[in-house]
Amino acid sequence: EPSILNYVSLQKTNLNIIALQAIIDGDWFVHRPDEKSRVHTNLTNLKREFRQLLRYDGRPLIELDIRNSQPLIASILIREYWTRKGKAIPADVIQYQQDCEAGTFYDYFMRLNGEAGENRRKFKVDMFGEVFFSKVTTRNTKLKKQFIAKYPNSYTAICEIKGGIGRDTYNQFAILLQQQEANIIFDSVNIGLLRDCIPAFNIFDSILCLPKHTEIVKERLLGAFSAFNITPTINNK
């Protein structure tokens, strides 16, 4: 498209500008690698800071997202692991879910490490990289030790789902986590809203909607999580 090429030449192939221009030009795409995976669109590729610029029929949007969403959704996998073992859910697993529901999961570890609030995004990346998405090894990082000390049986479940020490199947936890997220947020909530003619736009673990639809979207999110006996904290942006 000439308009995109002009931006490419001016911005030296700045991908964020290309993403914005594609939306302006109505050049939409939707891609789902498989029927259970996350759904990728222009909006999921858009830089977070640009979301405030989005309009639907000239009207601004509200973003509703689940506080501590990834650790919270992980609690479903962790509980299912212990249920399959035929054992009672350990106390620390219950506490883990409650902390995620309250939205205090990251706060606890940030305080423990003296991290300032403005470092929250980087801290979340570090936590997931070291605890949830890494290969299982006998080497324990600082964050990993802290997580094990607070949620030992939760960590055991995570490691077993990954396949155990040294296994190349460690990415299975991340895959299952994203599939569960897509099942709840996209398949259950977003598609249901669209079928009811309510404009809704999924960005992985959040949904963009018009302000007048905030309460119904929140109600649908709470209902979808209640099917897993979870009561999330929902943020409005």
Side-chain angles (χ1 to χ4, degrees), residues 110 114-122:
M110 288 183 71
E115 289 283 354
E118 57 266 27
N119 297 331
R120 185 180 182 87
R121 189 175 298 178
K122 180 184 180 301

Side-chain angles (χ1 to χ4, degrees), residues 164-217:
I165 293 177
R167 296 294 297 274
D168 290 333
T169 56
Y170 67 93
N171 65 339
Q172 283 304 301
F173 189 84
I175 292 170
L176 290 171
L177 182 61
Q178 291 187 1
Q179 288 178 344
Q180 191 64 262
E181 172 201 88
N183 173 52
I184 296 172
I185 308 295
F186 183 78
D187 295 319
S188 295
V189 179
N190 204 141
I191 291 299
L193 290 165
L194 293 177
R195 285 174 176 159
D196 291 337
C197 299
I198 297 172
F201 309 95
N202 176 233
I203 304 181
F204 299 143
D205 59 359
S206 68
I207 289 182
L208 300 178
C209 67
L210 293 170
K212 67 179 181 179
H213 295 137
T214 299
E215 289 307 313
I216 190 169
V217 174

Side-chain angles (χ1 to χ4, degrees), residues 78 81 130-132 134-138 140 144 147-148 152-167 169-170 172-173:
I78 294 168
Y81 167 83
E130 294 183 28
V131 175
F132 294 96
S134 61
K135 181 179 284 191
V136 181
T137 68
T138 55
N140 286 334
K144 195 183 293 184
F147 185 91
I148 294 170
N153 289 293
S154 298
Y155 187 71
T156 294
I158 292 169
C159 291
E160 288 296 313
I161 294 169
K162 290 179 182 179
I165 293 177
R167 296 294 297 274
T169 56
Y170 67 93
Q172 283 304 301
F173 189 84

Side-chain angles (χ1 to χ4, degrees), residues 37-237:
S37 69
R38 281 178 160 182
V39 177
H40 301 268
T41 68
N42 300 62
L43 298 184
T44 62
N45 284 7
L46 187 65
K47 192 174 182 181
R48 183 185 300 268
E49 287 74 12
F50 292 157
R51 292 179 193 172
Q52 62 183 314
L53 305 176
L54 295 168
R55 298 291 182 271
Y56 181 83
D57 285 343
R59 291 170 289 177
L61 298 164
I62 295 291
E63 181 177 6
L64 284 81
D65 70 350
I66 309 301
R67 191 168 176 82
N68 296 177
S69 61
Q70 298 296 306
L72 178 60
I73 294 170
S75 72
I76 298 172
L77 305 180
I78 294 168
R79 284 200 339 256
E80 287 178 346
Y81 167 83
W82 287 106
T83 299
R84 287 195 302 272
K85 298 284 283 186
K87 297 182 178 180
I89 306 299
D92 73 275
V93 173
I94 295 172
Q95 186 62 55
Y96 169 83
Q97 178 179 323
Q98 291 175 345
D99 292 343
C100 293
E101 287 177 320
T104 60
F105 172 79
Y106 292 115
D107 297 336
Y108 169 81
F109 290 104
M110 288 183 71
R111 286 196 302 272
L112 198 61
N113 289 280
E115 289 283 354
E118 57 266 27
N119 297 331
R120 185 180 182 87
R121 189 175 298 178
K122 180 184 180 301
F123 187 84
K124 289 165 69 173
V125 172
D126 292 342
M127 174 65 76
F128 257 78
E130 294 183 28
V131 175
F132 294 96
F133 291 166
S134 61
K135 181 179 284 191
V136 181
T137 68
T138 55
R139 174 180 169 273
N140 286 334
T141 64
K142 182 179 180 181
L143 282 178
K144 195 183 293 184
K145 288 178 182 178
Q146 292 171 348
F147 185 91
I148 294 170
K150 188 164 180 62
Y151 309 115
N153 289 293
S154 298
Y155 187 71
T156 294
I158 292 169
C159 291
E160 288 296 313
I161 294 169
K162 290 179 182 179
I165 293 177
R167 296 294 297 274
D168 290 333
T169 56
Y170 67 93
N171 65 339
Q172 283 304 301
F173 189 84
I175 292 170
L176 290 171
L177 182 61
Q178 291 187 1
Q179 288 178 344
Q180 191 64 262
E181 172 201 88
N183 173 52
I184 296 172
I185 308 295
F186 183 78
D187 295 319
S188 295
V189 179
N190 204 141
I191 291 299
L193 290 165
L194 293 177
R195 285 174 176 159
D196 291 337
C197 299
I198 297 172
F201 309 95
N202 176 233
I203 304 181
F204 299 143
D205 59 359
S206 68
I207 289 182
L208 300 178
C209 67
L210 293 170
K212 67 179 181 179
H213 295 137
T214 299
E215 289 307 313
I216 190 169
V217 174
K218 186 179 293 186
E219 180 183 318
R220 298 285 180 93
L221 284 168
L222 289 171
F225 276 94
S226 71
F228 298 94
N229 294 314
I230 289 176
T231 305
T233 297
I234 300 177
N235 293 330
N236 288 13
K237 299 178 186 177

